[in-house]
Amino acid sequence: VTTKSGAIVVGVGDELLAGRIDDTNARLLSVVLRRAGYPVLRREVVGDDPDAIAVVVGRARADAAVVVVTGGLGPTGDDLTRFGIAKAFGAALRRDATAEATLRDAYARRGRPLPPGSLVQADIPEGFAAAPNARGTAPGLLRAADDGVLLAAPGVPAELEGMLDEILLPILATRPERGTPPKALQITTAGLAEAEIGALLSDLLIRGRDPIAGSYPKSGRVVLTLETFREGADADLALKVDAETIRDRVGSAFVGFGDLKLNEVVVRAAIEKKTTLAVAESLTGGLVSDGVVEVPGASAVFVAGIAAYKDEAKRAVLGVRAETLDAHGAVSEACAREMAEGARRLTGADVALATTGIAGPDGGSIEKPVGTTWFAIADAAGTVANRRVFLGGRAEIRAYARERAFDLLRRRFFGLPLDSAVKDGAGS
Amino acid sequence: VTTKSGAIVVGVGDELLAGRIDDTNARLLSVVLRRAGYPVLRREVVGDDPDAIAVVVGRARADAAVVVVTGGLGPTGDDLTRFGIAKAFGAALRRDATAEATLRDAYARRGRPLPPGSLVQADIPEGFAAAPNARGTAPGLLRAADDGVLLAAPGVPAELEGMLDEILLPILATRPERGTPPKALQITTAGLAEAEIGALLSDLLIRGRDPIAGSYPKSGRVVLTLETFREGADADLALKVDAETIRDRVGSAFVGFGDLKLNEVVVRAAIEKKTTLAVAESLTGGLVSDGVVEVPGASAVFVAGIAAYKDEAKRAVLGVRAETLDAHGAVSEACAREMAEGARRLTGADVALATTGIAGPDGGSIEKPVGTTWFAIADAAGTVANRRVFLGGRAEIRAYARERAFDLLRRRFFGLPLDSAVKDGAGS
């Protein structure tokens, strides 16, 4: 049994070193391994060079109990991770029969011939096992021995995540080198900016405090993380006290405990309440509709989404009146209301939401700057409307609008005010 | 003069290793240093620990001509980079009079008292100079000697960028270790898997070749990068020859030169051809519609998108016949065709695309496994249909289907076959 602890993360790829792609896997692994009791001691990125991979992997396994290598496991000539790892361990590569059968089967199911050279993905270093890849074709390489654990996984984020959940974490949970992870609790808020949250919680967001609070802005949401190294009931109590303080201070911006997605919160609430949904989108052009369909089980409540981008479509499909468009324009409270009401009428849904705004880069004015967005929600109780002006480029404006749409549905579903009140100086 | 070349990038910070923030500096440095003639050989991230910093910095200066360290230069107790660097060089720290005066001046100008302990930022290792920070208070640490260059810069991206432009790059431009930056050319393909591309181009994707080709799979596309270290007209010719070879071999999968997004290619072509578009989506539920609206200028050609998720909506809004749904189900060629034709009729668009499939996790069968997706395109020339079976989770299946939809529109627009022919063993 080793006296090593912690983990080292190694990313492989010339495209990483050239700065062509972001190394999002390193951050994911940092979070996941830390929570599993293996704090990351070091991260490294090397190119597609078997010698360099061998040096870095050799160093990593000497320094840490767990090593995770990502990337370079595909079938092409610049996928060289298996050769570097084999070299680091002085192991020969041998063809794995199960991995070969799995590869052949994956192509057969798609009705495509197996490309020449792709069986290299079934070549596994001695002492390693082929780690099944539930979301792709390239298997991973796994070694779990007394002197440590090494997983080499594909660089494709979804495939890596699958291997972590299904293969690595169950192994790590049983190992003696496992440390005590901090106990953590997350809280999702929506409708307040990070700076507003920061002002409300300034006494909790102090370095060295335990529990320590951190705030991480995500599109349209702020996720707060509380972490404590206290143990047992003491830890739970400390987290609970701070969590209640936060819940109380953020008011209607409190979405729930955990890192919650607003579309999931809304669609699950609709499923539970047996409330059917429809969407009429201009600015967001399908993003809100997509956010509904993204949630498994959405088919029980989602009737239809209409992306009515041109004024003709708003009139012909949704029944927005020509006078409304003439008098107020498409980006107006009146148009948003008629879009929502039209979508509800057309689809027979219980609740219909509409968006209309200016995503830019052109089309803004002093009165209606780029980012101006009107929302409306029509339901049995009537129609409500709400306006926001989002900052950023076209993509950010549309992404914020999508999240705001779901936050408005959340607030409407749970009888909350459509806007969070910001109390000056509260909490400070 | 050293025989070392290239650069190593070191990020310092517990918040990086805990995964609380993204290491955006590493990618920026990768791009900037490579363009300056110092390809990045390795990237490392370490925590706020002077011993670990000393080990990594010592290793980095032994392996590369240029080392850039970011983060850990501030005034608080966990800013320990200067101590780690001093240790790596066996150098004592001494107070720098100019740096001290600059710090005192910065606070005086803001009318704020100098916080206790902040003069540690003026402590510089012997053999280093204080690097002025035009955008913040903490100076950097700079050493430019015969055996290599080291810059330690703040982790704040704007401050780092300022120091790169104003201090590091002018020094690097004059050093003998400077390499020739590669000339590069990118090619986007769609409709062939990375392994299929790899098989077609196996003679080009070989380490050590010049130009060297690399392939990077992105959702629904494969982007190829050709790079050469040849110079002048020789470089241009070598890139052109290989590019033409690739273009010829991948056939209808060739999208264009550059890292091109399929939705942008399609919408720009529609704008140019003055062809109006409509979309009817089930599986993708708004993703394709969103992909159209994402492109600036889409309003000139996009009429409307209908996310008809439930069968009732397919019937009521798009006019899919009840007999079709009864006989074939919603995930069928017949339904896809009627959806596309219905959307074209409803919106009056020149071209309408439809998607219908099984995103999972439930709803699959042996005959129609999860991932089965039918596409149809209706235009003045008639209606065509196409089927794919995508692997992965719900999110991946829907994302692949979105990209495939745009690739089908691209192929239809440019008169290409809907599927790339895969020739067994071609190119190998």
Side-chain angles (χ1 to χ4, degrees):
Chain A
V1 170
T2 172
T3 59
K4 297 174 292 187
S5 65
I8 291 179
V9 169
V10 179
V12 177
D14 285 348
E15 70 277 22
L16 289 167
L17 287 186
R20 278 196 213 97
I21 60 171
D22 270 321
D23 184 12
T24 53
N25 293 334
R27 181 171 175 187
L28 170 80
L29 285 165
S30 293
V31 171
V32 167
L33 291 168
R34 187 160 185 273
R35 285 202 192 132
Y38 299 81
V40 172
L41 311 174
R42 195 168 74 229
R43 305 197 313 215
E44 304 210 28
V45 175
V46 281
D48 298 311
D49 173 344
D51 294 328
I53 296 168
V55 168
V56 166
V57 166
R59 214 148 60 192
R61 70 180 284 232
D63 291 349
V66 175
V67 178
V68 181
V69 183
T70 61
L73 284 181
T76 67
D78 57 352
D79 287 309
L80 300 168
T81 295
R82 70 187 67 252
F83 302 102
I85 289 177
K87 189 163 183 179
F89 283 80
L93 290 165
R94 54 174 176 67
R95 180 68 43 94
D96 183 279
T98 310
E100 175 173 346
T102 307
L103 274 168
R104 291 190 183 279
D105 181 55
Y107 277 89
R109 270 190 296 156
R110 287 191 284 171
R112 319 267 289 193
L114 191 72
S118 58
L119 284 182
V120 71
Q121 295 174 100
D123 289 344
I124 311 293
E126 281 173 2
F128 282 73
N133 181 345
R135 308 184 194 187
T137 51
L141 310 175
L142 177 70
R143 180 177 180 275
D146 280 355
D147 67 344
V149 176
L150 187 148
L151 173 71
V156 178
E159 299 180 24
L160 169 64
E161 283 177 50
M163 279 195 195
L164 291 180
D165 289 346
E166 290 148 30
I167 295 165
L168 187 65
L169 292 179
I171 293 171
L172 295 191
T174 68
R175 301 275 305 182
E177 312 93 330
R178 181 168 184 269
T180 309
K183 282 203 177 181
L185 189 153
Q186 291 191 301
I187 296 166
T188 299
T189 70
L192 287 171
E194 196 193 11
E196 292 166 339
I197 298 268
L200 287 169
L201 306 178
S202 57
D203 53 332
L204 300 182
L205 295 160
I206 290 172
R207 219 188 140 71
R209 195 176 177 281
D210 185 330
I212 186 165
S215 69
Y216 312 108
K218 311 207 171 187
S219 184
R221 299 176 292 149
V222 175
V223 177
L224 298 162
T225 301
L226 287 168
E227 279 189 349
T228 180
F229 283 93
R230 300 179 200 213
E231 297 196 350
D234 190 28
D236 296 334
L237 181 65
L239 291 176
K240 187 166 185 289
V241 167
D242 278 4
E244 287 305 320
T245 303
I246 292 171
R247 180 177 190 155
D248 182 55
R249 297 220 193 127
V250 302
S252 66
F254 177 85
V255 175
F257 293 111
D259 183 347
L260 303 175
K261 292 183 173 174
L262 296 175
N263 62 327
E264 294 180 357
V265 170
V266 164
V267 173
R268 288 198 193 119
I271 292 170
E272 198 166 303
K273 291 167 187 275
K274 297 192 199 308
T275 301
T276 57
L277 298 174
V279 170
E281 306 182 68
S282 183
L283 171 84
T284 49
L287 277 179
V288 177
S289 174
D290 168 57
V292 174
V293 175
E294 202 177 279
V295 184
S299 54
V301 293
F302 187 51
V303 187
I306 319 291
Y309 204 57
K310 281 176 177 269
D311 284 359
E312 299 104 273
K314 292 186 182 74
R315 278 202 303 269
V317 183
L318 294 172
V320 173
R321 293 174 306 157
E323 308 89 80
T324 301
L325 292 166
D326 289 346
H328 306 284
V331 180
S332 63
E333 176 172 357
C335 181
R337 285 175 174 272
E338 290 186 26
M339 286 171 69
E341 287 159 8
R344 188 162 179 263
R345 206 166 44 234
L346 175 72
T347 63
D350 298 322
V351 177
L353 172 132
T355 70
T356 178
I358 305 160
D362 306 318
S365 64
I366 291 171
E367 197 184 303
K368 293 180 186 176
V370 167
T372 301
T373 307
W374 275 100
F375 301 88
I377 298 176
D379 59 22
T383 305
V384 293
N386 190 269
R387 190 185 78 117
R388 279 271 169 118
V389 180
F390 302 106
L391 301 179
R394 186 174 175 90
E396 291 86 54
I397 288 169
R398 298 180 64 243
Y400 286 131
R402 167 188 143 136
E403 295 306 314
R404 178 64 180 156
F406 284 110
D407 193 35
L408 287 169
L409 284 169
R410 175 185 76 86
R411 289 166 178 269
R412 185 74 174 169
F413 275 19
F414 294 108
L416 300 167
L418 296 184
D419 284 297
S420 276
V422 181
K423 300 163 221 154
D424 276 320
S428 63
Chain B
V1 171
T2 172
T3 59
K4 295 174 292 186
S5 65
I8 290 178
V9 168
V10 179
V12 177
D14 285 348
E15 70 277 21
L16 289 166
L17 288 186
R20 280 197 211 98
I21 60 172
D22 271 322
D23 185 12
T24 52
N25 292 334
R27 182 171 176 186
L28 169 81
L29 285 165
S30 293
V31 171
V32 167
L33 290 168
R34 194 156 186 277
R35 285 202 192 129
Y38 299 81
V40 172
L41 312 174
R42 195 167 74 230
R43 304 197 313 215
E44 304 211 29
V45 175
V46 281
D48 297 310
D49 172 346
D51 294 328
I53 297 167
V55 168
V56 166
V57 167
R59 215 148 61 192
R61 69 180 285 231
D63 291 349
V66 175
V67 178
V68 181
V69 183
T70 61
L73 285 182
T76 67
D78 57 351
D79 287 309
L80 300 168
T81 296
R82 71 187 66 252
F83 302 101
I85 288 177
K87 189 163 183 177
F89 282 80
L93 291 165
R94 54 171 177 68
R95 180 67 45 92
D96 184 279
T98 310
E100 176 174 344
T102 307
L103 272 169
R104 290 189 183 280
D105 181 54
Y107 278 90
R109 271 189 296 155
R110 287 192 284 169
R112 320 250 302 194
L114 193 71
S118 58
L119 284 182
V120 72
Q121 296 173 98
D123 290 344
I124 311 293
E126 281 173 2
F128 281 73
N133 182 345
R135 309 183 195 186
T137 51
L141 310 176
L142 177 70
R143 180 178 179 275
D146 279 356
D147 67 345
V149 176
L150 187 147
L151 173 71
V156 179
E159 300 180 25
L160 168 64
E161 283 177 50
M163 279 194 195
L164 291 180
D165 289 346
E166 290 148 29
I167 297 167
L168 188 65
L169 292 180
I171 292 171
L172 295 190
T174 67
R175 302 274 306 183
E177 310 96 329
R178 182 170 182 269
T180 309
K183 284 200 177 184
L185 188 152
Q186 291 191 299
I187 295 166
T188 299
T189 71
L192 287 171
E194 195 194 8
E196 292 165 340
I197 297 270
L200 288 169
L201 306 179
S202 58
D203 53 333
L204 301 182
L205 293 160
I206 290 172
R207 222 190 137 69
R209 193 176 178 282
D210 186 329
I212 186 164
S215 69
Y216 311 109
K218 310 206 173 189
S219 184
R221 300 176 292 148
V222 175
V223 178
L224 299 162
T225 301
L226 287 168
E227 282 188 348
T228 180
F229 285 91
R230 299 177 200 217
E231 297 194 352
D234 190 28
D236 295 335
L237 181 65
L239 290 176
K240 188 166 185 287
V241 168
D242 277 6
E244 286 305 320
T245 304
I246 292 172
R247 182 178 188 153
D248 183 55
R249 297 226 192 121
V250 302
S252 65
F254 177 85
V255 176
F257 294 112
D259 182 348
L260 303 176
K261 291 184 176 175
L262 297 174
N263 60 328
E264 293 180 356
V265 170
V266 165
V267 173
R268 288 198 192 121
I271 292 170
E272 199 165 303
K273 292 166 186 274
K274 296 192 199 309
T275 301
T276 57
L277 298 174
V279 171
E281 305 182 69
S282 182
L283 172 84
T284 49
L287 277 180
V288 178
S289 174
D290 169 57
V292 175
V293 175
E294 201 177 280
V295 184
S299 54
V301 293
F302 186 52
V303 187
I306 319 290
Y309 204 57
K310 281 178 177 267
D311 283 0
E312 299 104 272
K314 292 185 181 73
R315 279 202 303 267
V317 183
L318 294 172
V320 174
R321 293 175 307 155
E323 309 90 82
T324 302
L325 291 166
D326 290 345
H328 306 283
V331 180
S332 63
E333 176 171 358
C335 180
R337 286 176 175 272
E338 292 186 24
M339 285 172 69
E341 288 159 6
R344 189 162 178 262
R345 207 165 46 233
L346 176 71
T347 63
D350 298 323
V351 178
L353 172 132
T355 70
T356 178
I358 304 161
D362 307 318
S365 64
I366 291 171
E367 195 185 301
K368 293 179 186 176
V370 167
T372 301
T373 307
W374 275 101
F375 300 88
I377 298 175
D379 58 23
T383 304
V384 293
N386 191 270
R387 190 187 79 117
R388 278 273 167 118
V389 180
F390 301 107
L391 301 179
R394 186 175 175 90
E396 291 88 55
I397 288 170
R398 300 179 64 243
Y400 286 131
R402 167 188 142 137
E403 295 306 313
R404 179 64 181 156
F406 283 109
D407 192 35
L408 288 168
L409 285 170
R410 175 185 75 87
R411 289 165 178 271
R412 186 74 175 170
F413 275 19
F414 294 108
L416 300 168
L418 297 185
D419 283 297
S420 277
V422 182
K423 301 162 221 153
D424 275 318
S428 64

